[in-house]
Amino acid sequence: MLKRKSFFITSAIIMMLSVLITACGSTNSETNGGAEPNTQAEANKTEEEAAETDKEEEPAAAEFRTFETDKGPVEIPVKPLRIVTDYYGGELLSVGANVIGIESTTFDNPFLKDLLKDAKDVGAPINSEKALELAPDLIVVMYDDSYEALSKIAPTLHIPFGTATNIRETVRLFGDIVGEPEKAEQFLANYEKKAEEGRAKLKGVVDENATVGLYELTDKGELWIFGDNAGRGGQAVYDAL
């Protein structure tokens, strides 16, 4: 009797354990079955998000356009960010360009020296090694002495002196070069305003029929005469005033 009772108890325990094991297995199976696709979906989502993040962090490729010069077409940045030049510092700064390298005498210009506080002296003609150290994305030169060497460093534009015939053409030319035509127009608007103010101050002081000339006697005994599209105040005197 005791043996039979023990047998039934043991059998009952075994059956209960079997039910429990089966139930646990079913639960685990359901859980795993539900988690597996979710885990895969989450993994895919994570990969997509990571790809999007990487895409956002990648710097945008620089855009280029063709600029026609006397040396032929040159591919230049649409928006150059680091410019080296010899004698075009004032023109470039007038349209908001970032001039990082320039010839030495420009630093003596009282109107430009504060704007060039972070720029480096690259000599004239431009020293190609100094230019290379500055990693420019555009070089603009008045003289082509070292054009070939410079053009191997960055896109190089040769703009001969006198390419533009007046201040309006000049400023618009450089506004086009650096991709800032709006800044060129803003500069010209300010120029016209100051010119008008200057003419008002001279009214009644200088005879309207008076003639004016701009001359310089050089240290070599040469006499230079400056016209309306030159330095030494040529454009300011003949055009603005």
Side-chain angles (χ1 to χ4, degrees):
M1 185 70 180
L2 288 174
K3 287 182 180 180
R4 185 178 295 179
K5 194 173 185 180
S6 298
F7 173 77
F8 283 123
I9 293 173
T10 302
S11 298
I13 291 172
I14 291 172
M15 287 178 67
M16 289 174 65
L17 288 173
S18 299
V19 171
L20 287 172
I21 290 170
T22 303
C24 289
S26 175
T27 303
N28 288 337
S29 176
E30 290 174 2
T31 303
N32 291 337
E36 190 168 340
N38 289 339
T39 302
Q40 186 62 43
E42 289 173 2
N44 291 340
K45 185 178 180 181
T46 303
E47 289 176 3
E48 290 174 3
E49 290 175 349
E52 288 298 322
T53 302
D54 291 340
K55 192 182 294 183
E56 290 174 2
E57 290 177 353
E58 287 177 4
E63 295 183 17
F64 286 81
R65 67 186 178 101
T66 302
F67 193 93
E68 294 293 336
T69 74
D70 64 336
K71 301 288 187 182
V74 179
E75 293 296 308
I76 67 170
V78 172
K79 293 279 189 178
L81 301 176
R82 299 174 58 81
I83 303 177
V84 166
T85 186
D86 49 9
Y87 294 102
Y88 283 124
E91 289 83 349
L92 289 163
L93 291 169
S94 73
V95 290
N98 179 30
V99 177
I100 60 170
I102 196 166
E103 62 84 33
S104 57
T105 64
T106 310
F107 293 99
D108 298 328
N109 187 317
F111 300 102
L112 302 180
K113 62 181 182 180
D114 288 342
L115 299 174
L116 294 170
K117 60 184 179 181
D118 296 322
K120 304 297 181 183
D121 180 357
V122 293
I126 296 174
N127 182 296
S128 56
E129 292 183 1
K130 290 182 178 180
L132 180 61
E133 290 175 359
L134 296 177
D137 59 0
L138 180 66
I139 300 173
V140 185
V141 294
M142 182 181 293
Y143 300 106
D144 63 350
D145 306 66
S146 51
Y147 179 85
E148 294 301 325
L150 295 175
S151 61
K152 294 176 182 178
I153 297 171
T156 302
L157 298 181
H158 176 228
I159 310 294
F161 176 76
T163 296
T165 59
N166 57 59
I167 188 171
R168 294 163 191 82
E169 288 183 5
T170 300
V171 174
R172 287 177 178 135
L173 169 63
F174 284 88
D176 179 30
I177 288 173
V178 304
E180 295 288 0
E182 298 84 3
K183 289 184 179 180
E185 295 305 321
Q186 182 181 352
F187 179 91
L188 290 173
N190 291 335
Y191 168 82
E192 298 294 355
K193 181 180 178 182
K194 287 188 176 183
E196 186 177 355
E197 292 171 354
R199 291 193 296 271
K201 289 180 180 179
L202 290 176
K203 192 171 184 179
V205 177
V206 177
D207 189 333
E208 293 183 1
N209 297 316
T211 58
V212 178
L214 299 175
Y215 305 91
E216 178 180 349
L217 183 63
T218 72
D219 56 1
K220 296 179 181 179
E222 299 171 334
L223 179 64
W224 289 8
I225 304 174
F226 298 93
D228 61 353
N229 186 33
R232 312 301 195 274
Q235 297 202 47
V237 170
Y238 294 116
D239 182 85
L241 302 178

